[in-house]
Each structure stands twice: as C-alpha cells, then as structure tokens.
C-alpha cells in the first residue's frame, strides 16, 4: 500500500496503459482522478472501485480550462494531489513530407502540449506537500525515430525534454519529474495501424514483438509497475530520469 493516503491524477485513464496505471495506484491505496476524453471508459474503470476512491473527469488535457478542472476535482474530492501521471496520447503515422500542418498540430497537442498544460495546472498542488511526483509516458520513438511517425516521435522527444525541464526547475520545490519510454505495448492505440480487422492487428503486433529482443510486445501492467516506482517514495532521489520499458527494442 505504497500510496495509502495519497491522491493521483492519471490522464488517459480509460484504456490501455493509463487504465493499468490507475488500477495499480488504486490497488496500492491511492485515490485517483481518472481523466480522459471519453466519460464511459472512465466510468467503467471507476465502477470497479469504491465510489470514494475515484473521480471520473471528462476533458482534453491540452485545453487549459479542462485540465484545470481535473486538478480542481482532485482537491474537491480528495483535498490534495500528490502524483500526476501524464499518460494520455495518441499515435499519428506519416512522414515529414506528407504530414499536414493540421495533423502535426494535433499530434503535438495530444502528446506534448497536453502534458505541459496539465503539469502547469497541477504544480501548485504538487508543491504543497513537497513530495510531489510527475511521471510522463513518452516512448522509445522519442529517443530514436522510426520512419513514418514524424509528428509522434518529435512530440515524444519534446515530452522527454519537458520532463527534464520540470525536474530541474521543481527539484527545490519538492517535486520530482521522470519519464518512461515504452516499446510496443498491447493496447487499443494500434487498432488502426494495420488492415484486416482485429486479426490483422494481432498479426501486426506479433511481428512487432519479434523485433524486440525479448521476443514479444509488452503488457500495460509492465509499464504501470515502472510508473508506480517513479511515483513512489522508493524513487525519492530519482528525478529527470528517462527509463526505457521496452523489451530491449531501444538497444536492438
Ligand atoms: N501502446 C504502445 O505501444 C505505446 C508505446 C509507447 C508509448 N505509448 C504511450 O502510452 C500512452 C498511453 O497509450 P495507450 O497505448 O495506452 O493507448 P490508448 O489505449 O489509446 O490510450 C490513450 C488514452 O489517451 C486518451 N487521450 C488521447 N488524447 C487525449 C487528449 N487530447 N486529452 C485527454 N485524453 C486523451 C485516450 O482517451 P479516449 O480513449 O477517450 O480517446 C485514451 O484513454 C500514450 O501517451 C502513448 O503515446 C504507447
């Protein structure tokens, strides 16, 4: 129960990695604001837990008023905020040459501006206890690009630098900031990356798994366990760290 008495806000908590992070925090005693675009998904997660332990808040993290509302709901419901997990994001394929300005802006909003806006909104509360933690979910593509994922890779590289800037500026305020860089993880984010319906996607992911030295793609829970370490007191002297959780793909 590493998070007993603590309150966390997880963006993109309705599916995939974010849901696994929220569930793991709840299992370890935290109360959690589940923030994301689709209320039904957030409520489905909330319904599995006592009502006083979760709050579902619909919104887009890149919209300042909506991000601020998620932080306000944490204070109203739990009276505090100790942990912010900037997990929400979306994948956009496309080369530099073929990416429209609109798609570029959307990818930066979803993967970089959102975490910036939500972090800015949460910092005053995270500083209050002088033991605040921000964990950003970046990507191995933020460290090393692949072809046809330009806007996503650039946004995730920016998120890694946002992590370091936050860590540097907030260390004396008692707030740590760290990032995880997952390799390919089995979540709905890949649903449109292959043709042939669910079977086509499964075959695509299996092929991607073989590119990882451990021979398979990751599970959301395997990312969540690293996020919980970075959010917990077990990592009290760790800030500005960027940790790959990737079955070895970044060294392949
Ligand atoms: N899966 C992978 O292979 C992988 C690898 C590396 C990094 N990541 C990163 O891991 C994070 C979680 O992704 P996932 O794989 O778990 O995908 P996912 O299941 O699609 O989850 C993404 C979540 O983010 C939410 N979201 C997207 N844009 C948002 C916005 N503008 N405002 C608020 N919420 C927003 C989505 O909400 P709705 O469902 O309501 O749209 C969804 O709940 C992302 O940042 C992703 O880039 C994933």
């Amino acid at each position: 129960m590493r998070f007993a008495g603590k309150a966390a806000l997880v963006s993109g908590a309705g599916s995939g990695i974010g849901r696994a992070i929220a569930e793991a925090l709840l299992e370890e005693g935290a109360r959690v604001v589940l923030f994301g675009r689709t209320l039904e998904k957030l409520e489905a997660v909330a319904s599995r837990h006592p009502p006083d332990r979760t709050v579902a808040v619909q919104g887009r993290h890149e919209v300042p008023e909506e991000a601020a509302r998620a932080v306000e709901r944490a204070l109203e419901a739990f009276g505090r905020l100790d942990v912010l997990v900037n997990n929400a994001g979306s994948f956009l394929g496309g080369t530099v040459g073929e990416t429209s300005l609109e798609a570029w802006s959307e990818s930066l909003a979803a993967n970089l501006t959102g975490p910036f806006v939500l972090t800015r909104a949460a910092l005053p509360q995270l500083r209050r206890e002088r033991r605040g933690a921000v964990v950003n979910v970046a990507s191995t593509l933020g460290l090393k690009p692949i072809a046809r994922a330009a806007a996503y890779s650039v946004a995730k590289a920016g998120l890694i630098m946002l992590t370091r800037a936050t860590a540097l500026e907030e260390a004396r305020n008692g707030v740590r900031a760290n990032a995880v860089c997952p390799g390919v993880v089995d979540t709905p984010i890949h649903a449109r990356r292959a043709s042939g319906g669910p079977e086509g996607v499964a075959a695509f992911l299996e092929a991607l798994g073989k590119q990882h030295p451990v021979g398979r793609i990751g599970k959301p829970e395997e990312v969540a366990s690293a996020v919980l370490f970075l959010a917990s007191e077990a990592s009290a002297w760790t800030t500005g760290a960027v940790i790959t959780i990737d079955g070895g793909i970044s060294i392949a």
Side-chain angles (χ1 to χ4, degrees):
M1 298 297 276
R2 285 179 290 179
F3 295 90
K6 298 209 168 187
L9 194 168
V10 180
S11 69
S15 70
I17 294 169
R19 183 172 69 186
I21 293 167
E23 297 277 11
L25 283 166
L26 284 158
E27 271 163 33
E28 295 226 30
R31 288 162 294 168
V32 180
V33 174
L34 309 160
F35 182 48
R37 290 187 299 198
T38 310
L39 193 57
E40 295 71 40
K41 292 185 193 173
L42 303 170
E43 285 177 341
V45 178
S47 69
R48 292 196 289 273
H49 300 275
D52 61 337
R53 301 280 308 285
T54 62
V55 175
V57 182
Q58 182 177 30
R60 292 156 295 169
H61 55 171
E62 71 272 25
V63 179
E65 299 73 25
E66 295 174 13
R69 205 166 65 82
V71 174
E72 280 158 23
R73 292 292 290 120
L75 298 185
E76 283 165 18
F78 309 136
R80 58 192 290 151
L81 183 62
D82 306 278
V83 173
L84 167 64
V85 182
N86 279 309
N87 161 80
S90 58
F91 181 81
L92 175 82
T95 65
V96 173
E98 72 197 14
T99 299
S100 69
L101 186 55
E102 190 189 11
W104 173 266
S105 302
E106 251 176 51
S107 186
L108 261 65
N111 296 298
L112 178 56
T113 308
F116 157 66
V117 170
L118 196 49
T119 301
R120 197 180 54 172
L123 273 176
Q125 303 311 323
L126 296 172
R127 288 177 191 138
R128 257 176 42 179
E129 306 287 334
R130 294 198 62 80
R131 276 168 186 258
V134 179
V135 185
N136 293 328
V137 179
S139 167
T140 52
L141 301 189
L143 298 167
K144 181 182 170 200
I146 55 168
R148 294 180 292 282
Y152 180 80
S153 304
V154 169
K156 290 297 191 183
L159 182 55
I160 288 168
M161 197 52 77
L162 175 67
T163 307
R164 292 180 172 139
T166 308
L168 191 61
E169 291 170 1
E170 295 301 325
R172 297 293 166 103
N173 296 327
V175 178
R176 300 180 297 110
N178 295 287
V180 293
C181 290
V184 178
V185 181
D186 190 5
T187 75
I189 205 170
H190 304 290
R192 287 194 302 266
R193 291 186 68 193
S195 54
E199 281 173 18
V201 173
F204 169 74
L205 291 178
E206 196 181 333
L208 281 179
K210 290 189 180 133
Q211 294 173 21
H212 292 62
V214 302
R216 64 169 177 86
I217 64 170
K219 301 172 192 157
E221 296 73 22
E222 291 170 321
V223 179
S225 62
V227 170
L228 261 65
F229 165 70
L230 292 172
S232 76
E233 287 298 309
S235 62
W237 206 52
T238 303
T239 196
V242 178
I243 301 180
T244 52
I245 311 292
D246 69 348
I249 190 75
S250 55
I251 50 164

